[in-house]
Amino acid sequence: MAPQASTPSQVVALLPKLNDADSDIRYMSLNDLYNILRNGAPNFLISDYHTCTKAIEGLLKTLDDQNGEVQNQAIKCLGALSVKIPADTLPPLVEKLSNLKVDNSVDNSIRATALRTWITAFPPHVSGSVPAKLTENAYNAVSKVLIPRLIGRIVIPHGLRNHPDPPSGMLEVDPKTGIDSDAIDVMIDLLKGFGSMLQEAEKSALQESITNILNSERTGTVTRKKAVTAISILTIYLPDPLLSAFVNSTIESFRAKPLTTSRRRLLITMIGSLARSIPQRLGPYLKTLAPFILSALSKEEYDRLVDEYNEAGASNAELEELHEAALVALEGFLACCSNEMRIYTGDSIDAALLHIVYDPSVATDEDEVMGGTNEEDDFESESNGIEDDEEQEFEEEGVMDDEDDLSWKVRRCAAKVLYTIISTRASGDLLDSGILYDRIAPVLIARFQEREENVQLEILTAMALLIRKTAGGLPAMEIKNADENKFAQPEPMQSRKRRRISTVEKDFDLHGVKKMTIGANSPAPSPPPASGPKADLARARPAIIQGISKILKQGSVSTQQAGINLLRDMVFVQHGSLSDQLSKIIPALVNAINATAGSVSLGAGGAGSQLRIEALQLIGTVCDTHSSKVVAPFLGNIIPDVVKAAKEKTFKVSSQAVTTIESIVKAVTHPRSAGAEQQYHNYLASLCTTLVDRIGATDADLEVRQRAIRALGVLLSRTSAGQAKALSAADRFKGMGVLRDRIQNETTRLATVQAVDLVVTSAVKHEDLTKGWVHEVVIELASQLRKADRILRGASLAALKDLVGNAVALSYLDGATASALTGMLLPLVNPNDFNALGLATVILAKLVQSNPRAIVHEELNKVLCAVVLSPISGVVLDAFLALLKSIGEQGMGKPLMKDLLSVCPGSDPTVAGKAVGTLLVAGGSSIGYDINSFVKELQTGAGDPQKCLALSILGEAGLRLGTQSPLEPRLFLEYFSSKSDTVSRAAAVALGRAGAGNVNDYLPAIMSTSDGPSKFQYLSLHTIKELLNHAGETEANISPYTQEIWERLMAASKAEDNKAMGAECIGQLTIIEPEKFLPLVKAYLSQSDAASRGMVIQAIRFTFADSDERIDDVLKPLLMRMLTTMLDDPDLENRRLSLSTFNSAVHNKPDLVLPHLAQLLPSVMRDSQIKDELIREVQMGPFKHKVDDGLEIRKSAYETLYSLMENAYSRISTLDLFDRVIDGLEDEHEIRKLCNLMLTKLISLDPDEAQRRLNPIAERLRKVLSFKPKDNAVKQELEKVEESKRGALKLTITLNHSFPAAKNPTTAQTQTWATYYDWAEKEYRALWVLAAEDFKNQPA
């Protein structure tokens, strides 16, 4: 039943109860009143002034209630009432609230709380948008009453004369009571809600009031902090003249003499807060302001701080607070004004390194701390006893229990400054120059033994970030989970050139299972390069490991966990990096695994479990990335404890232990064990038993069982009979039985299917499998092919593909099983699902080869004919043709040929022609047709479709017959003159395919066509393209003709219509003989003709995307100069093509391009900017329209930046990339879409920088949402606007999901973002819901 509509009479009926003597009745009446006000229509009180007045009086009285709960409920009612009453009652209400005096309540802040509730009841205004009517009414009350009441004078008279002066302002300094800090809270909320609506005089008055508070000697610490927050929010809305005056006044305050320590600290704190709230506007002033901050952190000031301690025997708290405030401000400058702070990089590093060792209660040899940390010999000579003694002496000397020692705050802030420098300046900057490892890393490593845990964690976090930046900017969570979900990792797709000599089965190895589990030998340690960040890390590695090993022995749970994560990051950067130090690491990891969650050393159970999980992950990572010989000596200590952990009831620990077992299995089995499998026999037996028990345990979590099944599949696949029989027959039989049983269980079926895939792939002898097991597995896998679960269906298909591809497994398939499997596969031979179609045809091709009579029948022919009617291509078409070839070779193709010819007239001639041509050649005489039949059909066919089909069939047949083909070139050349463009193009393609099989006979005739009319030239390009594409599939030698082809191509490509096709042909020809043609291509880039340069630029792109590695040696010395020349081409269109070519090089030749990225990237950044000189105005009838000639090149530039972000993020300046992406958010529609996607990825690549950029992002997104299309905009433009707004809201939701705390800021750092978020969610509710659904449904 719908709730009854609220009426004024209901409000009137409740008001007398507010005066009841019983506080419970007063509370319940207020609660009822709140529900009435909340559920009432917006205007249900708008015309009842009497009721409004009575309600206001009643609420004001209850605000002075003795009962706190009644007061709280009255404040809630006040907020609900404020948005329901008439606009002209708001100013009197605010005046009464601001003058509220309490006699009965003990809470003196009730007035401020009521005012803040009233302010926040109204929708906040976002700068640049039209304010809501409620907000506008509320602002009028603020301007007329609240601001004068805060300041103590009328700022804007609003047309009133002889208005009485307000009482003393709430923000004024009272001689008796001092400053009301609650009034500052009111001002902060006022600025958050109405800051963008304030007039300049009001802003100036509020600034003056806050400045007076900051300058007052009676201002306490808490009040001063609130005032700093208020001024940082106010400056967001100050106009440039007021802001300039304020900053200049602050600069003069810094220069004033004398400047007390407390005053100096206040000024530094205020400037640091402004850097976070208005970084873009404060940036121009940093050249003046930054020296004031750095001077407080200078060596002289530091020595003064130390001298104060030495003289007094105790630290000077005021000076320490000054240094802490200066470091916090410096961190803000570096984080939010990074570009402006570049000139102060050295000074900032000096200041942070100086203060990170500040510990006056402990004697520290500064010179020793600052250097010598990279010498491995110094650490190798230490014994454990000496280390323990030194730690004990350190603790005794450090006076760790001194609660008065607050120097740790200075050190923590210094560590945060170093973290910020690494975060903002590593990629493509200080990391490549060596500064981070030369100066910062040694000090961080030396401070690993910091006595204060908070500081130690900051130091470890900074060092871990530096290591991750060295790895290429991989986020911490991504590194941590790099070995998760390995079954879902696809095998990288090969180039087209490679695919010509690969098997169709490899093209459909969708899960890469074989490569992932069986293919690699023991990983060799990745040797660091001679120079660069990874070389620097390698030199620092011994010192890092030495420091972390001490932490693992003596540190707290949190520091041990941080140390383990740091080691894991380092192992991912450099495989084998712990090889010579495992003796120091493994015992500590085993101890961490053994420690019980409730032990004293681990503290809380959650923290203890997480430490154990991290230790297990590191052991697994070590096994994955280190040689088996290195890991082997420690397995006796590791395996018992890992097995014990796998049996625990804590599912997270047990699950990770099972994953670690999988890594151990890979380390001790063939091929990594290199003939030493027998010595691990006992280990494998124990691990197998553990996995089987875990799979069958009813109390085990589902995730544990699934991971155990996966690990068991790995174990069985790597211990087959062909691999030294490292596992006994009994254990193997038991494991195979478990897989057979678990594949029938719904919850574990997917994991079991993937495990079965591993087992059948690795079988090399008949004793590896049994006939009964294969039969049951095949039937079970086949039954999954009709399930709705797409992932399970795909995994089952992949497993069946590997099963029939294994000779041992295939030999166990009898005719009945194969026939049953075929029946299950036929529904998947459907062009609606290309992935399933490709796999199904691969499986059927194998089955046809082994048992053709049981497989090939009328139903199969029927579904194959249906496929021919669809435009399939790529590897799916290759797999389909392979199936037809198998049918023809087995002599079973005659009925299929008849059926194909009956449906071909209504199908795509390209697909049908290839299908018929393949079957014709493979079937030979058994097919019932010969090649002359189709020659006759071509010559006598009545319609164009029949001729196109015949040409396609003959072209495919000529390709497959090669030099044995009876076809002559003139047969195809006759149809170049056809009136039908379709027929002539089909003839050109067919001639090229037939010519690829018989180059010597066909190529002279093909060359002759390029001398004919322009139409013949265009067709000859099609022919040459087809011939070059398929030349690698035959044994024909095309080299004698390449020079002539080059000359004909260059001549034919001068015509405008031929350029694109000619460029592709030139690229293909260059691939065939790179030594000969790459220098010629390079020479063409210097030609004066822009069109010729553009054609060659496109040709270079095709050499990147469609070549094998042999071209790299020729390309390497030429590529850099070619790219530089292309990117600096004066022609806009050529530069656009150059960016596309560069993009292709990044994808396909990263090793050749990325080392020179610093020289190439500026051109890309330049072309991504909007240039006014490229925007022109054109007259279109009575209207003027702006045309941006630079739009297309900007699109290409952003596409290139996207590729670089994905492939070389660590080599790009983070600051420059974020600047370009954020600017692109308000560019044209297509660029906005790409920048939305880029920013979504940057959230995970660099979350710190993304969070720092929330305010400028909010400003751009607000402009997108506030854009109003013209009244005469067409439908397409309106759809683009809506799509842009929906994309902006989706990005908003994504950012909020990543940084949820930013919408409730405690400082001004994300105030703009918080205001924008609230506004967007309320103003665009309908689109918000759709965007939220998009975010929810997007792939993980």
Side-chain angles (χ1 to χ4, degrees):
M1 183 176 179
Q4 187 178 0
S6 301
T7 61
S9 60
Q10 293 175 324
V11 177
V12 172
L14 289 172
L15 294 179
K17 299 180 182 180
L18 301 182
N19 300 318
D20 197 280
D22 190 341
S23 61
D24 289 342
I25 293 178
R26 297 198 301 275
Y27 176 82
M28 293 306 299
S29 300
L30 286 168
N31 187 61
D32 293 341
L33 178 60
Y34 174 72
N35 290 328
I36 291 171
L37 292 171
R38 186 184 61 178
N39 297 324
N43 59 350
F44 88 103
L45 288 176
I46 204 75
S47 59
D48 196 333
Y49 283 81
H50 179 73
T51 301
C52 292
T53 304
K54 291 295 183 182
I56 290 171
E57 291 175 354
L59 290 178
L60 290 174
K61 185 173 182 180
T62 52
L63 288 175
D64 192 24
D65 200 285
Q66 294 179 343
N67 188 294
E69 292 183 356
V70 173
Q71 283 183 310
N72 293 337
Q73 196 64 27
I75 288 175
K76 287 176 63 178
C77 290
L78 177 66
L81 178 65
S82 299
V83 297
K84 305 289 185 181
I85 59 179
D88 51 4
T89 61
L90 291 176
L93 172 59
V94 174
E95 186 167 4
K96 291 176 181 179
L97 289 175
S98 61
N99 293 319
L100 181 68
K101 296 183 184 288
V102 291
D103 299 322
N104 301 317
S105 174
V106 295
D107 185 3
N108 294 325
S109 66
I110 194 70
R111 176 180 66 171
T113 304
L115 284 170
R116 294 174 66 189
T117 302
W118 180 86
I119 292 170
T120 55
F122 298 95
H125 178 248
V126 176
S127 178
S129 64
V130 179
K133 188 64 177 176
L134 279 175
T135 306
E136 193 172 356
N137 294 337
Y139 167 69
N140 290 331
V142 166
S143 182
K144 290 177 181 178
V145 180
L146 185 54
I147 290 180
R149 188 66 187 86
L150 285 171
I151 294 172
R153 61 183 174 85
I154 296 175
V155 181
I156 299 176
H158 291 282
L160 299 177
R161 297 182 179 180
N162 302 321
H163 195 282
D165 291 334
S168 61
M170 297 168 63
L171 293 173
E172 290 183 351
V173 181
D174 191 283
K176 296 181 180 179
T177 60
I179 300 169
D180 183 7
S181 65
D182 294 327
I184 301 178
D185 291 331
V186 174
M187 177 184 168
I188 290 173
D189 284 339
L190 183 152
L191 292 172
K192 289 180 179 179
F194 305 100
S196 57
M197 300 179 70
L198 296 178
Q199 299 181 50
E200 185 171 338
E202 294 168 331
K203 297 173 185 177
S204 178
L206 290 172
Q207 176 194 329
E208 182 182 351
S209 296
I210 291 298
T211 303
N212 292 336
I213 292 174
L214 290 170
N215 293 334
S216 174
E217 296 180 357
R218 303 193 60 181
T219 305
T221 303
V222 175
T223 304
R224 187 170 280 119
K225 288 181 178 178
K226 289 183 179 181
V228 169
T229 301
I231 195 68
S232 63
I233 297 176
L234 177 60
T235 52
I236 296 174
Y237 308 107
L238 286 182
D240 290 338
L242 283 180
L243 178 64
S244 177
F246 174 71
V247 175
N248 290 329
S249 172
T250 304
I251 292 172
E252 292 304 318
S253 297
F254 270 115
R255 293 170 176 167
K257 302 294 183 183
L259 183 61
T260 64
T261 301
S262 60
R263 175 68 175 166
R264 189 181 187 188
R265 178 164 59 87
L266 171 63
L267 294 173
I268 288 174
T269 302
M270 184 170 62
I271 291 301
S273 182
L274 294 185
R276 288 178 165 85
S277 62
I278 52 169
Q280 288 84 7
R281 301 181 68 192
L282 191 68
Y285 299 96
L286 283 190
K287 286 186 178 180
T288 307
L289 290 171
F292 294 124
I293 308 298
L294 292 169
S295 65
L297 300 171
S298 64
K299 185 67 166 61
E300 293 77 11
E301 293 285 346
Y302 178 83
D303 292 340
R304 176 188 167 200
L305 183 62
V306 175
D307 292 343
E308 286 272 350
Y309 179 86
N310 293 335
E311 293 174 5
S315 58
N316 186 324
E318 192 174 27
L319 280 178
E320 285 185 346
E321 289 175 354
L322 171 65
H323 284 254
E324 179 188 356
L327 287 167
V328 171
L330 180 59
E331 182 197 354
F333 282 7
L334 292 168
C336 303
C337 308
S338 304
N339 284 319
E340 293 81 358
M341 286 296 292
R342 287 180 184 271
I343 59 176
Y344 300 107
T345 300
D347 295 333
S348 301
I349 294 175
D350 290 341
L353 295 180
L354 190 63
H355 286 79
I356 201 172
V357 299
Y358 171 67
D359 197 354
S361 61
V362 175
T364 303
D365 186 349
E366 184 179 321
D367 294 335
E368 184 177 346
V369 170
M370 296 293 286
T373 59
N374 285 336
E375 295 297 330
E376 185 174 358
D377 295 340
D378 294 343
F379 296 103
E380 292 297 330
S381 62
E382 297 184 46
S383 66
N384 290 336
I386 294 176
E387 291 174 6
D388 295 339
D389 291 343
E390 287 181 350
E391 285 299 320
Q392 185 175 356
E393 290 173 7
F394 178 84
E395 293 182 6
E396 292 173 355
E397 185 182 4
V399 197
M400 291 188 179
D401 332 341
D402 190 0
E403 295 180 359
D404 297 329
D405 179 20
L406 299 179
S407 63
W408 63 271
K409 292 185 177 180
V410 175
R411 298 195 301 277
R412 182 183 64 178
C413 291
K416 288 184 176 181
V417 170
L418 293 177
Y419 179 93
T420 302
I421 291 173
I422 296 169
S423 174
T424 58
R425 299 292 306 282
S427 301
D429 195 351
L430 299 182
L431 188 63
D432 295 338
S433 66
I435 291 177
L436 296 183
Y437 274 105
D438 290 344
R439 300 200 57 198
I440 294 179
V443 178
L444 290 176
I445 296 168
R447 297 300 301 177
F448 277 179
Q449 307 310 314
E450 162 68 44
R451 61 186 175 88
E452 181 64 38
E453 182 179 333
N454 288 334
V455 183
Q456 193 177 28
L457 287 173
E458 292 291 346
I459 290 170
L460 291 171
T461 301
M463 191 66 210
L465 176 64
L466 177 55
I467 292 173
R468 290 198 300 275
K469 292 288 187 180
T470 307
L474 199 61
M477 288 303 296
E478 192 170 335
I479 284 182
K480 181 178 290 187
N481 297 322
D483 57 348
E484 301 280 335
N485 303 321
K486 293 176 182 175
F487 277 76
Q489 295 295 327
E491 181 176 339
M493 189 59 107
Q494 300 169 331
S495 70
R496 288 175 59 188
K497 193 76 171 180
R498 290 290 180 189
R499 284 204 301 270
R500 293 174 193 163
I501 59 173
S502 68
T503 62
V504 175
E505 294 91 322
K506 286 184 179 179
D507 289 330
F508 282 95
D509 189 8
L510 299 181
H511 299 279
V513 178
K514 191 171 183 179
K515 178 181 178 183
M516 182 269 296
T517 59
I518 300 173
N521 290 320
S522 266
S526 53
S531 61
K534 291 189 177 181
D536 296 335
L537 175 60
R539 286 190 290 271
R541 178 174 55 85
I544 294 173
I545 296 173
Q546 183 70 23
I548 297 299
S549 64
K550 291 182 180 180
I551 292 174
L552 295 181
K553 293 176 184 177
Q554 302 164 355
S556 65
V557 174
S558 299
T559 54
Q560 287 185 56
Q561 200 169 315
I564 289 173
N565 285 333
L566 188 149
L567 288 177
R568 194 158 184 261
D569 293 346
M570 188 167 67
V571 169
F572 272 108
V573 179
Q574 293 181 341
H575 289 186
S577 56
L578 300 182
S579 297
D580 54 350
Q581 303 285 341
L582 283 180
S583 59
K584 297 178 180 179
I585 303 298
I586 294 297
L589 296 179
V590 172
N591 289 337
I593 295 172
N594 271 328
T596 57
S599 67
V600 177
S601 64
L602 286 180
S609 295
Q610 188 59 37
L611 175 61
R612 303 173 73 197
I613 291 170
E614 300 287 357
L616 287 165
Q617 284 182 337
L618 180 54
I619 288 176
T621 304
V622 168
C623 291
D624 288 336
T625 58
H626 289 67
S627 168
S628 297
K629 293 180 180 180
V630 173
V631 176
F634 304 97
L635 292 178
N637 294 329
I638 293 174
I639 289 179
D641 295 303
V642 174
V643 168
K644 182 180 176 183
K647 296 178 180 178
E648 283 206 9
K649 292 185 178 180
T650 307
F651 86 91
K652 289 186 178 179
V653 175
S654 178
S655 177
Q656 183 56 53
V658 170
T659 302
T660 304
I661 287 176
E662 179 184 335
S663 297
I664 294 173
V665 167
K666 293 177 184 177
V668 300
T669 52
H670 182 84
R672 286 183 56 185
S673 56
E677 296 87 352
Q678 290 301 324
Q679 72 183 71
Y680 305 126
H681 178 81
N682 293 334
Y683 293 151
L684 292 173
S686 173
L687 295 176
C688 182
T689 301
T690 302
L691 293 174
V692 170
D693 291 343
R694 287 286 81 196
I695 294 170
T698 56
D699 59 342
D701 187 80
L702 176 60
E703 181 182 336
V704 176
R705 283 181 281 145
Q706 288 175 337
R707 291 193 175 192
I709 290 171
R710 183 174 77 179
L712 180 61
V714 172
L715 175 59
L716 294 175
S717 69
R718 297 171 74 99
T719 55
S720 60
Q723 297 163 3
K725 294 187 178 180
L727 193 66
S728 68
D731 287 337
R732 183 174 183 82
F733 180 78
K734 184 192 297 184
M736 299 280 281
V738 168
L739 294 182
R740 181 192 58 215
D741 296 338
R742 298 315 300 181
I743 201 173
Q744 300 174 19
N745 185 284
E746 189 69 32
T747 59
T748 57
R749 182 171 286 144
L750 177 60
T752 310
V753 168
Q754 294 168 335
V756 166
D757 194 349
L758 298 177
V759 173
V760 298
T761 301
S762 62
V764 293
K765 295 186 178 180
H766 281 79
E767 54 261 43
D768 291 335
L769 304 172
T770 64
K771 186 173 183 178
W773 187 87
V774 171
H775 173 77
E776 292 185 45
V777 164
V778 167
I779 296 301
E780 193 62 39
L781 289 173
S783 66
Q784 309 310 313
L785 300 181
R786 297 188 180 183
K787 296 290 180 68
D789 188 338
R790 183 178 178 84
I791 298 176
L792 176 61
R793 193 168 66 244
S796 300
L797 269 173
L800 285 169
K801 186 266 298 181
D802 288 331
L803 188 148
V804 299
N806 183 279
V808 175
L810 187 61
S811 67
Y812 284 139
L813 279 182
D814 54 28
T817 306
S819 180
L821 175 58
T822 302
M824 295 290 189
L825 288 169
L826 289 183
L828 300 181
V829 184
N830 188 322
N832 294 330
D833 186 344
F834 279 6
N835 185 39
L837 170 61
L839 284 168
T841 49
V842 169
I843 297 169
L844 287 170
K846 285 291 183 182
L847 293 176
V848 167
Q849 293 170 10
S850 64
N851 200 339
R853 298 194 178 277
I855 307 303
V856 182
H857 47 67
E858 185 178 352
E859 289 299 318
L860 176 62
N861 294 345
K862 185 177 179 181
V863 297
L864 294 179
C865 290
V867 173
V868 171
L869 298 175
S870 302
I872 60 175
S873 60
V875 293
V876 177
L877 177 58
D878 293 341
F880 178 72
L881 296 178
L883 173 56
L884 297 182
K885 181 180 178 183
S886 297
I887 294 173
E889 289 174 343
Q890 299 301 321
M892 305 292 293
K894 187 173 182 179
L896 176 59
M897 176 64 83
K898 183 178 179 181
D899 293 340
L900 285 175
L901 292 177
S902 67
V903 300
C904 278
S907 62
D908 180 0
T910 303
V911 176
K914 291 181 179 180
V916 175
T918 300
L919 189 60
L920 176 68
V921 175
S925 59
S926 66
I927 213 73
Y929 294 86
D930 59 20
I931 201 167
N932 293 324
S933 305
F934 297 100
V935 172
K936 184 178 180 180
E937 176 67 22
L938 172 63
Q939 295 171 342
T940 60
D944 292 343
Q946 288 81 1
K947 291 181 179 179
C948 290
L949 177 60
L951 285 166
S952 181
I953 293 171
L954 293 172
E956 186 69 22
L959 173 66
R960 293 182 177 274
L961 288 171
T963 56
Q964 298 178 3
S965 171
L967 302 175
E968 296 183 3
R970 60 183 177 81
L971 176 68
F972 303 99
L973 289 172
E974 290 177 6
Y975 294 91
F976 273 38
S977 304
S978 173
K979 296 181 180 179
S980 170
D981 290 341
T982 306
V983 173
S984 60
R985 193 176 297 115
V989 172
L991 177 61
R993 293 181 73 83
N998 192 354
V999 173
N1000 294 330
D1001 291 345
Y1002 274 72
L1003 202 52
I1006 294 173
M1007 289 294 97
S1008 65
T1009 61
S1010 60
D1011 296 328
S1014 58
K1015 178 182 178 180
F1016 278 29
Q1017 287 185 349
Y1018 180 73
L1019 293 174
S1020 70
L1021 290 176
H1022 275 281
T1023 300
I1024 293 173
K1025 172 191 169 184
E1026 201 70 24
L1027 186 147
L1028 294 175
N1029 275 336
H1030 294 279
E1033 297 178 11
T1034 66
E1035 297 180 359
N1037 183 15
I1038 199 174
S1039 298
Y1041 306 97
T1042 53
Q1043 183 62 39
E1044 183 182 359
I1045 294 175
W1046 169 270
E1047 294 172 357
R1048 298 300 178 97
L1049 287 175
M1050 297 305 297
S1053 300
K1054 291 181 180 179
E1056 187 67 30
D1057 293 340
N1058 297 347
K1059 284 180 181 176
M1061 184 68 66
E1064 186 173 354
C1065 293
I1066 291 171
Q1068 294 292 340
L1069 186 63
T1070 304
I1071 293 169
I1072 294 174
E1073 291 191 6
E1075 300 88 351
K1076 182 176 183 179
F1077 294 114
L1078 268 177
L1080 296 178
V1081 169
K1082 177 177 174 293
Y1084 265 86
L1085 292 175
S1086 302
Q1087 286 203 353
S1088 58
D1089 181 34
S1092 298
R1093 296 197 307 270
M1095 189 262 295
V1096 172
I1097 289 170
Q1098 292 185 76
I1100 295 172
R1101 183 181 64 191
F1102 287 109
T1103 65
F1104 295 148
D1106 201 6
S1107 63
D1108 54 35
E1109 291 104 4
R1110 72 185 183 85
I1111 196 175
D1112 290 358
D1113 293 336
V1114 183
L1115 194 58
K1116 188 173 182 179
L1118 303 175
L1119 181 59
M1120 182 57 197
R1121 185 168 295 181
M1122 290 166 65
L1123 287 174
T1124 304
T1125 304
M1126 288 189 291
L1127 292 172
D1128 290 333
D1129 195 293
D1131 185 78
L1132 277 180
E1133 176 61 16
N1134 283 353
R1135 280 218 308 278
R1136 184 190 69 79
L1137 294 172
S1138 300
L1139 287 167
S1140 298
T1141 301
F1142 181 32
N1143 193 353
S1144 177
V1146 171
H1147 277 292
N1148 298 284
K1149 302 291 181 184
D1151 294 339
L1152 301 183
V1153 176
L1154 298 186
H1156 307 285
L1157 192 58
Q1159 302 170 48
L1160 300 171
L1161 191 57
S1163 298
V1164 183
M1165 293 291 186
R1166 174 198 65 201
D1167 288 331
S1168 68
Q1169 299 175 7
I1170 297 176
K1171 298 177 181 177
D1172 294 336
E1173 63 269 21
L1174 296 180
I1175 300 176
R1176 53 192 172 88
E1177 199 173 68
V1178 297
Q1179 191 81 27
M1180 299 181 67
F1183 304 105
K1184 290 184 177 180
H1185 179 65
K1186 286 187 176 181
V1187 176
D1188 187 353
D1189 293 329
L1191 176 59
E1192 293 302 321
I1193 194 173
R1194 286 204 309 279
K1195 287 181 184 178
S1196 295
Y1198 273 104
E1199 289 168 358
T1200 305
L1201 284 177
Y1202 181 85
S1203 297
L1204 290 170
M1205 180 191 72
E1206 288 197 315
N1207 295 283
Y1209 182 73
S1210 63
R1211 297 176 181 267
I1212 308 174
S1213 170
T1214 301
L1215 306 178
D1216 294 340
L1217 179 62
F1218 268 90
D1219 287 343
R1220 299 310 319 132
V1221 173
I1222 292 173
D1223 286 346
L1225 291 176
E1226 54 181 341
D1227 207 316
E1228 293 297 325
H1229 176 68
E1230 294 299 326
I1231 296 177
R1232 278 202 300 268
K1233 286 173 61 178
L1234 186 57
C1235 288
N1236 286 345
L1237 180 59
M1238 291 176 72
L1239 195 51
T1240 302
K1241 290 183 177 293
L1242 284 170
I1243 293 172
S1244 59
L1245 284 173
D1246 198 338
D1248 294 331
E1249 188 65 23
Q1251 187 167 12
R1252 286 191 285 265
R1253 301 287 187 128
L1254 285 177
N1255 282 349
I1257 291 171
E1259 293 171 0
R1260 269 51 170 210
L1261 295 181
R1262 178 192 59 76
K1263 291 180 181 178
V1264 174
L1265 293 175
S1266 301
F1267 177 77
K1268 303 292 183 185
K1270 297 178 181 178
D1271 294 337
N1272 59 350
V1274 298
K1275 181 181 178 182
Q1276 185 180 12
E1277 292 177 348
L1278 295 176
E1279 289 175 349
K1280 283 186 176 181
V1281 171
E1282 174 134 353
E1283 185 181 358
S1284 294
K1285 291 183 177 181
R1286 189 165 170 176
L1289 292 175
K1290 181 182 175 183
L1291 179 58
T1292 302
I1293 294 170
T1294 304
L1295 287 164
N1296 178 67
H1297 182 265
S1298 301
F1299 314 112
K1303 67 178 178 181
N1304 300 308
T1306 56
T1307 65
Q1309 184 167 358
T1310 57
Q1311 179 58 44
T1312 303
W1313 167 260
T1315 305
Y1316 157 76
Y1317 182 86
D1318 291 338
W1319 169 79
E1321 186 178 19
K1322 293 174 183 176
E1323 291 293 319
Y1324 298 92
R1325 191 62 201 167
L1327 277 177
W1328 184 279
V1329 173
L1330 296 175
E1333 192 67 24
D1334 292 342
F1335 172 77
K1336 181 180 178 181
N1337 295 330
Q1338 70 183 358

